[in-house]
Amino acid sequence: MAAGNEVTAASYIQHHLQNLTFGRHPENGWSIAHSAEEAREMGFWAIHLDTMGWSIAMGLLFIWLFRKAGKIATTGVPGGLQNAVEMVIEFIEGLVRSAFHGRNPIIAPLALTLFVWILLMNTLKIIPVDYLPEVFARLGVEYMKIVPTTDVNATLGMALGVFILILYYSFKVKGVGGFARELSLTPFNVWLLVPFNLVLEIVGLIVKPFSLAMRLFGNMFAGEVIFILIALLPFWAIWLLDVPWAIFHILVITLQAFIFTMLTVVYLSAAHEHH
């Protein structure tokens, strides 16, 4: 590839991986970033408008779909939407029954929300990488990254919410003393090894949200990069590679939604157990 083409390819990839960022720039004040450098200069409190917008949109789509399914539900011959919703609900009920060993009416609705919401966000990846960015570019929006789960801020935000629930139920179910004893006397029930136990358990506790976030982000981001690289190929090669990769990725986006949900249920089950 010629040097000019390399620059073009690099700028194309960078453009497609750049979020629509709003924040306070040291020189421009509150504004939307026009480059990756400007976005970095806005600092930690900058907001990715595309991530926020598409994640909220998928949440609203989830609510609308399930609300509509509830309204048209019938005891007779169910329609396609009702069948799909019932299958998802039964799947989540089975998952919670097998993985959650406490008693908490919040867990199943939480698992259902996480699974469907993440699945809908992941599914946006199936839309061709150039289609919506081109549409928004015509409307004057310079950057548009439509898959929220390819943004580590989104996956870390969801994982942090799960982590807060883990701590909340650990203290609520076990009490402060019980939770402290669990951290101090696990895995070795010997007082001399309390410092060693604390290091192991606290590190393991902190790693849980990071593992949840990075697993989902890593798989979705890697898939997005491959889609972008395929889009740089000649026209005939795009159709030859893009369709098989998209079909394979349907499995990936479903599996990643399942893994995030499953681990959330497992972690919350552990938070409800007495050791």
Side-chain angles (χ1 to χ4, degrees):
M1 183 179 288
N5 290 335
E6 289 179 3
V7 173
T8 302
S11 62
Y12 175 85
I13 294 170
Q14 184 179 19
H15 177 272
H16 278 66
L17 294 179
Q18 175 64 36
N19 287 99
L20 179 65
T21 307
F22 176 80
R24 186 173 183 179
H25 190 269
E27 297 179 2
N28 303 329
W30 292 100
S31 59
I32 293 176
H34 297 290
S35 66
E37 184 179 355
E38 281 190 21
R40 285 193 297 270
E41 291 171 350
M42 287 178 176
F44 177 78
W45 294 109
I47 299 174
H48 291 168
L49 297 178
D50 43 10
T51 296
M52 292 293 293
W54 287 104
S55 59
I56 292 171
M58 291 303 100
L60 293 175
L61 178 60
F62 161 59
I63 294 171
W64 179 79
L65 285 174
F66 275 66
R67 187 170 182 268
K68 183 178 180 180
K71 283 187 171 183
I72 65 174
T74 176
T75 56
V77 180
L81 179 60
Q82 183 179 341
N83 272 327
V85 168
E86 288 178 354
M87 286 176 59
V88 172
I89 291 175
E90 289 174 4
F91 170 73
I92 294 298
E93 285 179 346
L95 185 153
V96 172
R97 277 197 298 267
S98 63
F100 186 77
H101 306 298
R103 303 188 70 177
N104 190 331
I106 299 294
I107 302 302
L110 173 66
L112 177 66
T113 300
L114 281 175
F115 178 76
V116 178
W117 190 29
I118 294 172
L119 182 62
L120 289 173
M121 289 191 288
N122 289 352
T123 304
L124 289 170
K125 186 183 290 292
I126 303 301
I127 301 173
V129 293
D130 286 326
Y131 182 72
L132 286 177
E134 179 66 24
V135 171
F136 279 93
R138 293 177 182 274
L139 297 174
V141 180
E142 190 171 358
Y143 299 105
M144 182 53 60
K145 195 175 170 190
I146 68 168
V147 186
T149 47
T150 60
D151 185 351
V152 70
N153 295 283
T155 59
L156 275 173
M158 290 188 292
L160 180 60
V162 172
F163 184 61
I164 291 171
L165 287 176
I166 292 171
L167 294 179
Y168 171 75
Y169 284 114
S170 294
F171 284 114
K172 181 179 179 180
V173 174
K174 303 168 186 178
V176 176
F179 188 40
R181 282 193 299 274
E182 181 179 294
L183 294 177
S184 303
L185 301 176
T186 305
F188 303 108
N189 192 10
V190 179
W191 283 103
L192 290 176
L193 294 177
V194 165
F196 180 73
N197 290 337
L198 282 173
V199 171
L200 283 181
E201 291 299 306
I202 292 175
V203 169
L205 188 64
I206 294 174
V207 163
K208 287 179 180 178
F210 283 101
S211 66
L212 274 177
M214 298 310 295
R215 182 182 292 105
L216 178 58
F217 163 72
N219 281 276
M220 292 299 101
F221 185 80
E224 183 78 354
V225 170
I226 292 175
F227 275 120
I228 294 171
L229 293 175
I230 291 174
L232 289 168
L233 298 175
F235 178 78
W236 62 268
I238 292 176
W239 284 101
L240 184 64
L241 298 175
D242 198 43
V243 174
W245 179 245
I247 294 172
F248 170 74
H249 222 63
I250 292 173
L251 301 176
V252 175
I253 62 181
T254 306
L255 180 62
Q256 290 306 312
F258 167 74
I259 290 174
F260 193 101
T261 305
M262 181 69 178
L263 289 178
T264 297
V265 174
V266 169
Y267 292 156
L268 289 174
S269 179
H272 285 72
E273 294 174 357
H274 292 276
H275 296 280

Coordinates of all heavy atoms in Angstrom, one line a residue, residues 7 20 52 54 56 76 89 103 109-110 127 137 160 171 173-174 208 219 229 252 274:
V7 N -1.9 6.6 5.0 CA -2.5 7.7 5.8 C -4.0 7.7 5.8 O -4.7 7.9 6.8 CB -1.9 9.1 5.3 CG1 -2.6 10.2 6.0 CG2 -0.4 9.1 5.5
L20 N -18.1 10.7 19.7 CA -18.6 12.1 19.7 C -18.6 12.6 21.1 O -19.4 12.2 21.9 CB -20.1 12.1 19.1 CG -20.7 13.5 19.1 CD1 -20.0 14.4 18.1 CD2 -22.2 13.3 18.7
M52 N -23.8 7.5 25.1 CA -25.0 7.8 26.0 C -26.3 7.7 25.2 O -27.3 7.1 25.6 CB -24.9 9.2 26.6 CG -23.7 9.3 27.6 SD -24.0 8.3 29.1 CE -25.4 9.2 29.8
W54 N -27.0 6.2 22.2 CA -27.4 4.9 21.7 C -27.7 3.9 22.8 O -28.6 3.0 22.7 CB -26.3 4.3 20.8 CG -26.3 5.0 19.5 CD1 -25.3 5.9 19.1 CD2 -27.2 4.8 18.4 NE1 -25.6 6.4 17.8 CE2 -26.7 5.7 17.4 CE3 -28.3 4.1 18.2 CZ2 -27.4 5.8 16.1 CZ3 -29.0 4.2 17.0 CH2 -28.5 5.0 16.0
I56 N -29.1 4.7 25.7 CA -30.4 5.1 26.2 C -31.5 4.7 25.2 O -32.6 4.1 25.5 CB -30.5 6.6 26.4 CG1 -29.7 7.0 27.7 CG2 -32.0 7.0 26.7 CD1 -29.5 8.5 27.9
G76 N -54.2 -17.5 23.4 CA -54.4 -18.3 22.2 C -53.1 -18.5 21.5 O -52.1 -18.7 22.1
I89 N -37.7 -14.6 28.5 CA -38.0 -14.7 29.9 C -37.8 -16.0 30.5 O -37.3 -16.2 31.6 CB -39.5 -14.2 30.1 CG1 -39.6 -12.7 29.8 CG2 -40.0 -14.5 31.5 CD1 -41.0 -12.2 29.8
R103 N -32.6 -15.8 47.9 CA -34.0 -15.4 47.6 C -34.0 -13.9 47.5 O -33.9 -13.2 48.5 CB -34.9 -15.9 48.8 CG -34.9 -17.4 49.0 CD -35.9 -17.9 50.0 NE -37.2 -17.8 49.4 CZ -38.4 -18.2 50.1 NH1 -38.3 -18.7 51.3 NH2 -39.5 -18.1 49.5
P109 N -35.4 -9.8 37.3 CA -35.6 -8.6 36.5 C -34.3 -8.0 36.1 O -34.2 -7.5 35.0 CB -36.5 -7.7 37.3 CG -37.2 -8.7 38.3 CD -36.2 -9.8 38.5
L110 N -33.4 -8.0 37.0 CA -32.0 -7.4 36.7 C -31.3 -8.2 35.6 O -30.8 -7.6 34.7 CB -31.2 -7.4 38.0 CG -29.7 -6.9 37.8 CD1 -29.6 -5.5 37.4 CD2 -28.9 -7.2 39.1
I127 N -25.0 -3.5 11.8 CA -25.2 -2.4 10.8 C -23.9 -2.1 10.2 O -22.9 -1.9 10.9 CB -25.8 -1.1 11.5 CG1 -27.2 -1.5 12.1 CG2 -26.0 0.0 10.5 CD1 -27.7 -0.3 13.0
A137 N -22.9 12.3 9.3 CA -22.0 13.3 8.7 C -22.7 14.2 7.8 O -22.4 15.4 7.7 CB -20.9 12.5 7.9
L160 N -19.6 -1.3 37.2 CA -19.6 -0.6 38.5 C -21.0 -0.7 39.2 O -21.0 -0.9 40.4 CB -19.2 0.8 38.2 CG -19.2 1.7 39.5 CD1 -18.1 1.2 40.4 CD2 -18.8 3.2 39.1
F171 N -23.2 -6.6 52.5 CA -23.4 -6.0 53.8 C -24.8 -6.3 54.3 O -25.0 -6.6 55.5 CB -23.2 -4.5 53.7 CG -21.7 -4.1 53.6 CD1 -21.2 -3.5 52.5 CD2 -20.9 -4.4 54.7 CE1 -19.9 -3.2 52.4 CE2 -19.5 -4.0 54.7 CZ -19.0 -3.4 53.5
V173 N -27.0 -8.9 53.7 CA -27.3 -10.3 54.0 C -26.4 -10.8 55.1 O -26.8 -11.4 56.0 CB -27.1 -11.1 52.7 CG1 -27.3 -12.6 53.1 CG2 -28.2 -10.7 51.7
K174 N -25.1 -10.4 55.0 CA -24.1 -11.0 56.0 C -23.8 -10.0 57.1 O -23.3 -10.5 58.2 CB -22.8 -11.3 55.2 CG -23.0 -12.2 54.1 CD -21.8 -12.3 53.2 CE -22.0 -13.1 51.9 NZ -20.9 -13.1 51.0
K208 N -13.6 -8.3 40.0 CA -14.8 -8.7 39.4 C -15.4 -7.7 38.5 O -15.7 -8.0 37.3 CB -15.8 -9.0 40.5 CG -15.6 -10.3 41.3 CD -16.6 -10.6 42.4 CE -16.3 -11.9 43.1 NZ -17.2 -12.2 44.2
N219 N -14.1 -8.0 23.5 CA -14.7 -8.7 22.4 C -15.4 -7.9 21.4 O -15.3 -8.0 20.2 CB -15.7 -9.8 23.0 CG -15.0 -11.0 23.5 OD1 -14.6 -11.9 22.8 ND2 -14.7 -11.0 24.8
L229 N -11.6 -2.9 9.3 CA -10.5 -3.3 8.4 C -11.1 -4.0 7.2 O -10.5 -3.8 6.1 CB -9.6 -4.3 9.2 CG -8.8 -3.7 10.3 CD1 -8.0 -4.8 11.0 CD2 -7.8 -2.7 9.8
V252 N -21.2 -14.2 18.7 CA -20.4 -13.4 19.7 C -21.2 -12.4 20.5 O -21.1 -12.4 21.7 CB -19.2 -12.7 19.0 CG1 -18.4 -11.9 19.9 CG2 -18.3 -13.7 18.3
H274 N -23.7 -17.3 53.0 CA -23.0 -17.3 54.2 C -21.9 -18.3 54.1 O -22.2 -19.5 53.8 CB -23.8 -17.5 55.4 CG -24.8 -16.4 55.7 ND1 -24.5 -15.2 56.3 CD2 -26.1 -16.2 55.3 CE1 -25.5 -14.4 56.4 NE2 -26.5 -15.0 55.8

